Each structure stands twice: as C-alpha cells, then as structure tokens.
Amino acid sequence: MDLSAARQRVTELRRLIEEHNYRYYVLDQPVISDQEYDALMRELLALEEAYPELRTPDSPSQRVGGAPREEFAQVRHPQALLSLNDAFNEGELLDFDRRVRELAGGPVEYVIEAKIDGLAVALTYNDGLFTLGATRGDGQVGEEVTANLKTIPALPLRLRRSLPLLVVRGEVYMPKGAFTALNAAREEAGEPLFANPRNAAAGSLRQLDPKITASRSLSLFVYQVISLRGATVFTQTGALDFLAEVGLPVNPYRVLAPDIQAVLAEVKAWTPEKRAALPYEIDGLVIKVNDLALHPVLGATAKAPRWAMAYKFPAEQATARVEGIILRVGRTGVLTPTAVLTPVRLAGTTVSRATLHNEDYIREKDIRIGDTVIVQKAGDIIPEVVAVLPERRTGVEEAFTMPERCPACGAAVVRPPGEAAHRCTGGLACPAQVLEGIIHFASRGAMDIQGLGPAIVAQLLEAGLLHDAADLYYLKKEDLVKLERFAEQSAGNLVAAIAASKEQPLERLLFALGIRHVGQRAARVLAGHFRTLDRLAGASLEEITDLPDIGPRIAESIREFFAEPRNLAVLEKLQRAGVRLTAAGAGTAAPGTAVPDTTAGPLTGKTFVLTGTLPGMTRQEAEKLITSAGGKVSSSVSKKTDYVVAGDKPGSKYDRARELGVPVIDLEGLKRLLEGKRSWRREDLYDRV
Ligand code: IVH
C-alpha cells in the first residue's frame, strides 16, 4: 500500500471507529461485534505504525495512553465549576422550589437527571477537537488530565459537528462491573482496595501514567454546557439533546417535571431496586430549572447555583448482630478491627463483615460483641457500623479492647502518640506482616510477579521456604513441585516469573520494599533522582526532602528503613540474587553532560569528611585513597556530604553528621565502597550511641 492509499484507508478506519464508538457509547446501539471493532482498531494501529506521518492527535489510536508525566499541570477554570446544594427530604425540595419561584417571578419547569457518582471534569473542544480536559479540583483550579481523558473510549476526540468552541462539564465514572473486577484483581495482588467506584474513578484518572488510566475501564456522561460558540441552546433538555447530537455521551435518564409536585412523585419512584439495577452508581438526582434564560436571573452563591438542587438518596441500612470482632494485621503492622455479622441483605448484596476502623471508632459508638447494630454501605459499597441499638442489649454483650499482644506473633501492640491505629511491634518477625509484605512485594504495581497471589505466598511461608521477600529469588523448582497445588509446569512458571522480575525498574523495587509512606509516586521521584538504591541509602534527610513531592515524613521513614539491619540483610540477599538495584543507565554520564574534573572511579561524585583516628592509616593516606577513586574530601560536614568516615575518638564532625542525617561509616565501610561494592551491612552505617 502506498502513502496515499494508506492515508485514505486510515481516514476511513477512523471514521468507522468513531462511528462505532458513537453507536456504542452514546446511542447504546452497537451494530458490530467487539471482535470486528478490535479488527478495525488493529488495522488502524498497523497502518499508523507503518506510516507514522499519518498519526493525528484525534486518531482513536491515541487512546492507548501517552507518556507518563512527573506531575499534573494546574489549570484555572475560566468560569468556576460550582458544586450543588443538597436536599435530603421533600421539605428541602419544597423550600428550593419556593425560592426559585420567588426569584423567577412565576411557575417554573424542572428537569430531573441522575446524579452520577464520579469525578467532575471540564472538557474543551476547539473547532471540534478535544483540546483540554481538567478535573474540577477546588472549583477554581483543577488538574490538567487531557492525556488520561483521551483514554476513555466514551469521550469523542472529535465532535460530530465542528463548532468554534464547546466547553462542557461531565462526570467520569467507573461502571460497577469494572469496579468489582478491579478490586478483585487488587485483592489478588495484595493491593489496597478502593472503597467505592467514585474513589476508583478518581484514583484512575489522576494517574501520572495514562497507560494505567487506559487499563481502568472508565466511562463518561456529560450534563452541562459551560461555553458554546457556533450554536445556541435554550433549555437544559435542549442542551442535553445538543450534546448527544454532537457525539458526547449523555445519560439516557431525564424527566421533565412541570412543577415541584411532579418532581416529588418522580423522586419517590426511585426505589433501591431501580437504583441497584443501573450498571453505574448514582447517589441521587439533580433537579434543574429547565429554562436556561432563568439561570442568570437566579444566579449562584459562592458554592452552588440557585437553579439546581441535588436530592441525595438515603443510605441503605439494615440491622445485624455483631458475632465477634476480628483483627487483621496489615503490612505495616496496623491492627484493623472488623465486625463479623450475622449475614444480612443490604443494597443488593449479602453482608457479613463491617469495618470498625480503629479502637476510637469502637469506643465512640460503644460497639460491643453481641450488640445489634445498624450497618450501612458507605458510598454504598463497603459496609460500616453506624450505630448500636442499646435497647436490644440483654446484658451478655462484651466490650472490646485492643489486645496488648499481636494476635499473629505475640509481640507488643502499641498505639503511637497522635495516631488512631494500634500497631504490632513485631516487624519482620511477625508472620502476618511478613505475609502482607511479600504479597505487596509481588503485587502488580510492585515487582509484578505473575502467579504469586496471597494464597501461594501463605503456602510458601507455611512450608518454610520463605522468610522474607528476597527468599523468593532462591526458590527452586524442585522445592515447589513437592508442594500441594504445584505441578511441574506451574512450578516452572512461577520460578520463571520470579526470575523475570529481577529486571523490574528501580522505582518498582523501591515501591515493592514497602518503605512506609513510599507509594508509587514517591518511588518514581526517588528512583529518578538517585538512580541507585545505594545512593538513596546514603542520602541525607535534606537531600531527600529537597525533591518534589517528598516531605519529611517520607524522608524520615527512608532513613529508618536503611538503618534497620534486617532490611539491609534483605537488600543484600536481593543483590546477591541479581535483582537490579539501579535505574537503567545509572552511572553512565549522558552524552553532552559535563563530567566532573576528577578521576573517575567508584567514589566519583561523592564527598567525604574524615574524623577521628583511622586504624592503621594516616589521614593523608585515607585522603589519597578517596581522591584517587574519584571522591572529594571536605573539611566540614554539610548536607552535601555523602559520608563521614569515623575512626577512634571522632570529634564534633561525627555529631554534626548525626544531626544532619549524613551516613557515618568506618574504615571497613570505606574499603567496601572503594571496591565498588554496594555495602548493605549494618556495620557500615554504624552507630555509636
Ligand atoms: S450539575 C453548577 N448534573 O454532583 C452545577 N452535576 O454533588 C453543575 N453531578 O459537582 C452540576 N451528576 O460533579 C450536575 N447530572 C448532573 C450530575 C452532577 C453528577 C456531580 C457534579 C457535582 C456533584 C455535586
């Protein structure tokens, strides 16, 4: 195929794909199968691969997700994106109607829409092309998430009609099915679960890597025209029709109500069953004045327009008996109490567990074992205990107290000052923490070891094959085949998957290590800056906190992590197994980068300060050793110092180093560095206190 034939076919394919998207997402009337659709997309991708000059920003192929970003740009909305006032009962709706009629000077017609429980976004189309997408943020300033929004199949990259300008407001949401599947996968991977589809949608849209957003099955409904040039709309229903006509997804539910009585009747018609039957969450209805000419007349407060009101559905509740309270020990040792309930039906599912959050929550609500309680689904997904029915008490109920010893390992349980959580102090000696830690290590966002879910990790721990995450890399196929559930093939697959993970990028390893407060975002920033685990281990508090998005809490826990001998032992084992501890290309100067004017060697770029008497070596000799290996020797300790080498009777420089968090090593440690060895031995970062 030559270029001009390819161009023709590419244009045709784009038209077809957008047409099928429109039929699927807007009209809800697909005419081809998913396979046929995929075939069109594959053909388009192949042609664009062969002829990159044919790629355009509005090609449906661009939905796969662009390059990851460091952070989101902030955008100021040209017009504030207001919130809505809430009504919880008929009386509040009648009050709303009275105010509206007073200001409007007569009767008004309303339109009722579904209140989609998602994340509000503003979408800008210039000359029909999707050019800018932002989250609502605080209403004034949001985050620019254009690339992420482009991955949402329901969002047209080009309108079906070219208009000079259209700015719309809509809601990005995660369908219930996608939410359940996402949480199931996260559970399997040992990752924290999303509390509800709204949080999941928000978390997925605010990903720095659009490829993650693309994998999350988000969808969209638009409901409000913010700016429009090249056409006119007069009513809200007219606006919804217009939005659908230009190709934007509009929720099919809308009801015109000639007056507030009709609104109240419609509100009543929304039974829990009707709501449960929808494939996405709605948390209420939005009642809007239909005549757009009245909107500026009615105006707005600083928070919300006076021409609209949200009617919030009451949360569904049920009563159940607390049969017991169990504790789960998480990866960081936090003990989370959970109520075990007599099973009850609630908002379409059977509930037998409810979170109790922490001890304060239990105390505040005075929840006792044996109590009859009211449970409710928060965001209608995760059940929680809202209140106790004390009149149902018979006197046999038992108050709950947090145990003094961890139920998993027997170590002391403490409640750190200022925290609501109780923690097990067993650390890596606590089997529950070890289990959770290894599950996290292998999970999708971390080392992503296929086939190593929670059940297998538990089995390997029980068999005594694992004591920490690094042991994974020493597992042999012969050991695995002896275990129940493992066959020749599955054992081989697991060993291969573990071996493959050795090459995971540094940022994943950093996240996988489970350093407290170091999430994926912080791990990426740290890996990008330090490039090797070694440099991060030797970094001072200041150097770490100087990085964007890294606060003192993160820096502190990084230092704590590297000061813990057991962690250093795990790192050493990882290193011996050949796990990559450096970012790709670390250590080699990029072309065009000025190389510092010192001898290149294992200490290049490192600054040392010497203090005390070094055994068997004069200070000059030590200095020579350092400079000939590319390092610098300085006479005073600052936050720029990489290491303080301390001998006998060290002076004030030692104290200064401790103050600034600069690592202190001994002569042995220096020698290891000189040999180019990554030194993880605790003795290297020695401590004289
Ligand atoms: S109208 C200026 N219509 O609910 C008023 N909002 O709790 C614009 N929402 O922040 C809002 N579905 O994000 C409107 N059909 C709908 C909606 C809707 C969901 C969201 C919106 C708003 C929130 C208020």
Side-chain angles (χ1 to χ4, degrees):
M1 196 183 282
D2 66 6
L3 180 63
S4 97
R7 177 172 288 126
Q8 243 182 17
R9 181 62 185 156
V10 162
T11 311
E12 171 71 4
L13 284 167
R14 284 182 193 152
R15 197 189 56 72
L16 284 170
I17 291 170
E18 286 302 352
E19 180 67 29
H20 290 305
N21 273 348
Y22 175 66
R23 287 184 167 279
Y24 188 92
Y25 291 105
V26 180
L27 302 181
D28 200 13
Q29 290 164 351
V31 288
I32 58 169
S33 68
D34 289 358
Q35 287 79 358
E36 287 169 300
Y37 178 88
D38 290 343
L40 293 175
M41 188 61 109
R42 272 201 306 275
E43 188 184 346
L44 175 64
L45 287 171
L47 279 172
E48 289 185 352
E49 181 75 43
Y51 300 96
E53 61 269 46
L54 295 181
R55 280 197 189 128
T56 57
D58 64 331
S59 171
S61 64
Q62 297 307 299
R63 295 188 186 279
V64 288
R69 314 172 52 147
E70 288 287 310
E71 59 183 343
F72 294 114
Q74 306 268 305
V75 278
R76 182 162 284 280
H77 301 299
Q79 208 176 313
L81 296 187
L82 297 179
S83 179
L84 289 174
N85 287 320
D86 293 330
F88 294 93
N89 52 46
E90 286 198 355
E92 288 170 353
L93 285 175
L94 288 168
D95 288 345
F96 160 69
D97 172 60
R98 198 170 312 115
R99 281 193 304 272
V100 166
R101 281 184 295 109
E102 263 169 37
L103 289 167
V108 288
E109 181 188 50
Y110 294 106
V111 55
I112 307 165
E113 296 172 17
K115 184 163 162 0
I116 312 298
D117 198 9
L119 174 78
V121 290
L123 312 172
T124 304
Y125 288 83
N126 285 107
D127 295 322
L129 198 67
F130 175 54
T131 48
L132 180 71
T135 62
R136 174 171 176 265
D138 64 4
Q140 308 289 338
V141 176
E143 286 176 322
E144 194 262 296
V145 287
T146 315
N148 290 3
L149 285 165
K150 278 188 174 180
T151 69
I152 300 177
L155 183 148
L157 302 178
R158 182 179 281 284
L159 297 178
R160 297 171 68 78
R161 225 165 96 186
S162 180
L163 298 155
L165 177 74
L166 174 64
V167 184
V168 292
R169 174 168 175 169
E171 205 82 358
V172 169
Y173 67 93
M174 185 175 284
K176 287 176 187 169
F179 170 75
T180 312
L182 174 64
N183 259 357
R186 288 174 77 85
E187 173 130 55
E188 170 68 16
E191 291 168 38
L193 304 188
F194 286 112
N196 52 49
R198 180 174 15 92
N199 289 359
S204 303
L205 189 64
R206 297 184 63 260
Q207 285 286 337
L208 290 167
D209 185 351
K211 290 203 173 58
I212 301 181
T213 311
S215 71
R216 293 281 176 86
S217 310
L218 294 177
S219 202
L220 170 80
F221 283 125
V222 300
Y223 47 71
Q224 208 70 29
V225 172
I226 300 178
S227 302
L228 173 60
R229 264 187 247 138
T232 321
V233 286
F234 300 99
T235 58
Q236 171 65 7
T237 41
L240 294 175
D241 290 339
F242 170 78
L243 293 172
E245 204 181 291
V246 299
L248 287 157
V250 172
N251 189 280
Y253 171 79
R254 96 182 61 160
V255 168
L256 258 182
D259 56 28
I260 199 69
Q261 288 310 321
V263 170
L264 298 182
E266 181 58 25
V267 164
K268 276 215 187 84
W270 273 91
T271 57
E273 291 72 33
K274 182 168 168 179
R275 189 177 155 201
L278 288 174
Y280 43 83
E281 288 289 341
I282 69 172
D283 59 338
L285 301 171
V286 184
I287 293 105
K288 300 177 181 173
V289 170
N290 196 28
D291 184 353
L292 297 182
L294 282 177
H295 289 195
V297 175
L298 294 165
T301 64
K303 182 202 162 206
R306 290 198 193 89
W307 44 262
M309 180 61 87
Y311 171 78
K312 291 294 231 4
F313 291 134
E316 260 205 85
Q317 298 185 332
T319 56
R321 197 174 155 270
V322 178
E323 293 181 342
I325 292 178
I326 53 170
L327 287 164
R328 202 190 127 193
V329 186
R331 174 163 63 87
T332 57
V334 172
L335 271 59
T336 308
T338 301
V340 180
L341 307 169
T342 42
V344 276
R345 290 290 294 175
L346 184 58
T349 58
T350 301
V351 167
S352 58
R353 295 261 195 281
T355 179
L356 297 173
H357 305 287
N358 52 49
E359 191 185 40
D360 288 351
Y361 188 85
I362 300 176
R363 285 248 177 88
E364 223 169 81
K365 302 219 165 351
D366 189 20
I367 301 164
R368 302 181 197 173
I369 299 165
D371 264 341
T372 302
V373 294
I374 299 175
V375 280
Q376 164 180 310
K377 284 193 178 176
D380 286 325
I381 296 296
I382 309 253
E384 62 181 12
V385 173
V386 266
V388 171
L389 300 175
E391 63 276 16
R392 301 271 194 102
R393 282 190 180 149
T394 59
V396 299
E397 294 75 18
E398 276 172 60
F400 172 81
T401 42
M402 276 285 179
E404 283 172 12
R405 306 245 145 227
C406 168
C409 72
V413 167
V414 295
R415 180 175 173 173
E419 281 191 29
H422 280 73
R423 283 179 195 278
C424 155
T425 53
L428 293 174
C430 173
Q433 290 188 50
V434 173
L435 171 73
E436 297 292 337
I438 301 176
I439 292 169
H440 168 77
F441 184 88
S443 68
R444 230 180 259 177
M447 297 302 264
D448 193 16
I449 303 176
Q450 302 288 314
L452 190 64
I456 305 269
V457 175
Q459 193 186 4
L460 296 175
L461 278 167
E462 224 153 84
L465 291 172
L466 290 186
H467 303 94
D468 56 46
D471 286 342
L472 287 169
Y473 295 98
Y474 297 85
L475 285 175
K476 291 195 203 62
K477 195 172 146 187
E478 304 87 82
D479 300 328
L480 296 182
V481 285
K482 289 186 208 135
L483 303 177
E484 217 178 290
R485 283 202 290 176
F486 274 103
E488 190 72 18
Q489 167 107 30
S490 53
N493 288 349
L494 183 56
V495 172
I498 293 170
S501 75
K502 288 182 190 176
E503 282 304 315
Q504 287 290 18
L506 180 63
E507 63 186 67
R508 277 179 173 265
L509 176 68
L510 268 179
F511 174 60
L513 290 175
I515 306 172
R516 261 182 90 191
H517 309 306
V518 176
Q520 280 167 299
R521 195 176 169 136
R524 187 174 301 161
V525 174
L526 293 165
H529 178 80
F530 290 103
R531 319 285 296 155
T532 76
L533 202 56
D534 196 17
R535 279 189 213 136
L536 173 62
S540 65
L541 273 181
E542 285 77 4
E543 202 182 338
I544 302 173
T545 35
D546 273 354
L547 295 174
D549 290 335
I550 310 282
R553 206 171 57 142
I554 297 181
E556 198 67 59
S557 83
I558 290 171
R559 303 280 306 158
E560 274 169 23
F561 180 87
F562 286 108
E564 166 60 49
R566 278 183 292 202
N567 293 336
L568 300 181
V570 170
L571 293 175
E572 169 125 53
K573 260 203 274 182
L574 288 172
Q575 183 185 26
R576 261 195 287 121
V579 175
R580 173 213 270 277
L581 306 182
T582 59
T588 42
T593 323
V595 177
D597 190 20
T598 43
T599 326
L603 305 187
T604 301
K606 297 277 179 222
T607 305
F608 292 76
V609 173
L610 303 171
T611 179
T613 322
L614 296 169
M617 194 182 282
T618 65
R619 181 164 294 222
Q620 285 71 23
E621 281 167 346
E623 281 190 13
K624 186 105 206 308
L625 263 181
I626 293 170
T627 49
S628 61
K632 277 200 292 197
V633 178
S634 164
S635 56
S636 62
V637 182
S638 75
K639 56 182 187 177
K640 295 221 172 75
T641 311
D642 292 292
Y643 294 98
V644 167
V645 184
D648 270 352
K649 301 208 186 81
S652 61
K653 289 175 193 167
Y654 174 82
D655 301 323
R656 180 89 182 119
R658 302 273 317 161
E659 233 172 76
L660 292 174
V662 172
V664 180
I665 59 173
D666 60 6
L667 191 59
E668 272 311 300
L670 176 63
K671 283 184 183 160
R672 284 174 68 83
L673 288 177
L674 283 165
E675 285 162 26
K677 280 197 188 135
R678 307 280 173 255
S679 174
W680 299 116
R681 291 190 357 225
R682 169 66 178 146
E683 308 87 83
D684 291 346
L685 302 173
Y686 86 120
D687 193 342
R688 276 161 195 258
V689 239

